[in-house]
């Protein structure tokens, strides 16, 4: 939806063109893109393409321009920069490409600095392995369509596949198009003793081993 709005604002097609193409265009030549869409509610723009439109700077001509060809360029970049570059590591990772992209999207939204990414990925994979809910509010924000606005109590308590406080496991789709750095972090997570983390108001990250330590960090840094 953000890509759609950005392109339309610069005169590339009409608003809604890319969203419509995401649900109706044929991208079967890109075998790494999932073949089904997941749309839990009518107003939600989650689609099979989320996560695979590689974030990069692209030179685009106004004429000729079609949403399908533009998206194919982004998928082609994903294939070259991710699928081909890390093929052997992906195959030996024990994870599907879709799960890796989902995890990379969480890391992308949860990280403020590059040196955090692998540690955060390690924490999230560890929580998944031990059947602990992820507790990643960025997932809830994605479903609610909120970037910075406060999440409502009902948005945190309603049981949905995207409520990472209530539902175990990864969300059904990526929640953003992750950078190569975030994908590498998901592919090469860093082991640590930590189970929790939070960012303070200045963007600094604070890790914790126990929930008690995490609550202390909340009191210390988020008041």
């Amino acid at each position: 939806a953000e890509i759609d709005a950005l392109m339309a604002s610069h005169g590339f097609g009409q608003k809604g063109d890319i969203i419509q193409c995401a649900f109706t265009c044929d991208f079967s030549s890109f075998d790494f893109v999932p073949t089904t869409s997941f749309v839990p509610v009518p107003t939600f723009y989650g689609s099979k393409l989320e996560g695979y439109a590689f974030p990069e700077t692209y030179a685009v001509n106004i004429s000729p321009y079609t949403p399908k060809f533009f998206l194919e360029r982004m998928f082609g970049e994903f294939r070259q920069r991710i699928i081909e570059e890390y093929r052997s590591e992906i195959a030996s990772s024990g994870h599907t490409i879709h799960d890796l992209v989902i995890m990379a999207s969480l890391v992308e939204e949860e990280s403020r600095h590059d040196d955090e990414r692998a540690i955060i990925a390690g924490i999230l994979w560890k929580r998944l392995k031990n059947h602990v809910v992820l507790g990643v509010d960025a997932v809830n924000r994605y479903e609610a369509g909120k970037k910075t606005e406060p999440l409502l109590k009902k948005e945190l308590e309603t049981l949905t596949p995207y409520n990472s406080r209530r539902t175990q496991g990864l969300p059904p789709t990526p929640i953003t198009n992750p950078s190569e750095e975030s994908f590498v972090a998901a592919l090469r997570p860093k082991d640590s003793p930590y189970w929790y983390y939070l960012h303070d108001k200045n963007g600094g990250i604070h890790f914790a081993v126990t929930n008690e330590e995490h609550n202390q960090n909340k009191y210390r840094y988020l008041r």
Side-chain angles (χ1 to χ4, degrees):
E2 291 176 345
I3 295 172
D4 178 271
L6 179 65
M7 295 301 286
S9 72
H10 288 283
F12 293 95
Q14 303 296 317
K15 189 172 183 180
D17 285 351
I18 288 179
I19 292 174
Q20 181 179 9
C21 185
F23 287 101
T24 61
C25 292
D26 179 12
F27 296 106
S28 57
S29 59
F30 298 92
D31 57 1
F32 51 84
V33 175
T35 56
T36 58
S37 298
F38 184 88
V39 190
V41 295
T43 58
F44 179 54
Y45 287 143
S47 87
K48 61 185 178 181
L49 309 184
E50 191 79 81
Y52 297 91
F54 193 83
E56 187 55 275
T57 301
Y58 296 89
V60 186
N61 293 322
I62 288 287
S63 180
Y65 164 80
T66 65
K68 185 175 189 293
F69 292 162
F70 176 64
L71 286 170
E72 286 180 336
R73 286 182 60 190
M74 301 183 84
F75 301 148
E77 192 75 8
F78 182 94
R79 178 160 52 198
Q80 179 180 346
R81 298 276 291 275
I82 300 298
I83 300 294
E84 295 179 1
E85 182 68 22
Y86 302 100
R87 186 180 300 277
S88 61
E89 286 187 74
I90 293 170
S92 62
S93 69
H95 303 293
T96 66
I97 182 63
H98 193 56
D99 283 355
L100 285 167
V101 175
I102 292 174
M103 177 59 73
S105 74
L106 304 188
V107 172
E108 182 73 23
E109 291 294 281
E110 291 287 284
S111 303
R112 307 286 178 86
H113 307 286
D114 284 347
D115 58 1
E116 304 169 359
R117 297 179 196 265
I119 301 175
I120 290 175
I123 292 171
L124 296 180
W125 281 126
K126 181 165 60 175
R127 292 176 74 88
L128 280 173
K129 183 179 179 181
N130 287 274
H131 307 289
V132 178
V133 293
L134 294 179
V136 176
D137 284 349
V139 183
N140 299 63
R141 290 186 174 281
Y142 176 74
E143 181 174 29
K146 293 181 174 180
K147 278 291 188 181
T148 58
E149 304 92 327
L151 289 166
L152 303 177
K153 183 179 180 180
K154 66 178 182 180
E155 293 168 342
L156 296 174
E157 293 182 350
T158 303
L159 188 61
T160 75
Y162 285 87
N163 189 340
S164 68
R165 292 193 184 189
R166 296 284 310 277
T167 303
Q168 288 188 356
L170 291 168
T173 65
I175 61 172
T176 192
N177 296 297
S179 62
E180 183 174 356
E181 290 80 6
S182 289
F183 186 85
V184 171
L187 192 60
R188 304 170 186 171
K190 184 174 181 179
D191 289 331
S192 76
Y194 306 121
W195 286 81
Y196 306 89
Y197 63 90
L198 61 81
H199 288 90
D200 60 35
K201 296 176 182 179
N202 297 316
I205 194 166
H206 304 276
F207 297 103
V209 176
T210 67
N211 188 51
E212 181 181 359
E213 291 174 349
H214 185 54
N215 287 333
Q216 290 173 352
N217 284 340
K218 287 181 181 178
Y219 180 80
R220 186 176 295 119
Y221 299 111
L222 298 182
R223 285 192 303 166

